[in-house]
């Protein structure tokens, strides 16, 4: 499928917050947000349950599907 490696759609994780259902949402450098529960394989929920786990994920790259779809980031 040739997707993924060196993708220009990789965005750094800059933060996290929880939505109203207590699901963790990653905040990406591009301004998009992404529910971590939907992102296999390394994005399983286990690490989201500890501050150490979340901190270790900061700065990691995540492929942004919204950027891939050309969706503009929502203003906060
Ligand atoms: Zn994006």
């Amino acid at each position: 499928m040739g997707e993924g490696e060196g993708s220009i759609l990789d965005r750094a994780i800059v933060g996290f917050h929880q939505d109203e259902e207590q699901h963790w949402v990653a905040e990406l450098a591009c301004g998009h947000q992404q529910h971590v529960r939907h992102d296999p394989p390394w994005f399983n929920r286990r690490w989201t349950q500890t501050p150490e786990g979340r901190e270790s994920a900061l700065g990691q790259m995540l492929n942004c599907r919204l950027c891939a779809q050309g969706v503009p980031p929502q203003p906060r």
Side-chain angles (χ1 to χ4, degrees):
M1 303 295 270
E3 194 177 307
E5 274 190 299
S7 171
I8 60 171
L9 297 176
D10 281 351
R11 301 289 184 255
I13 297 172
V14 296
F16 292 96
H17 68 268
Q18 282 179 290
D19 67 10
E20 63 276 6
E21 297 177 21
Q22 310 302 304
H23 293 135
W24 283 99
V25 180
E27 302 167 3
L28 304 180
C30 58
H32 286 127
Q33 301 175 358
Q34 197 163 128
H35 275 92
V36 293
R37 58 184 169 143
H38 288 152
D39 290 287
W42 64 270
F43 249 36
N44 61 69
R45 296 171 69 176
R46 185 174 172 78
W47 61 266
T48 64
Q49 303 309 305
T50 65
E52 294 80 10
R54 291 190 296 276
E55 188 165 341
S56 71
L58 290 177
Q60 293 200 41
M61 304 305 263
L62 181 63
N63 191 268
C64 185
R65 292 187 298 264
L66 293 175
C67 278
Q69 296 168 12
V71 177
Q74 294 180 355
R76 301 251 179 99

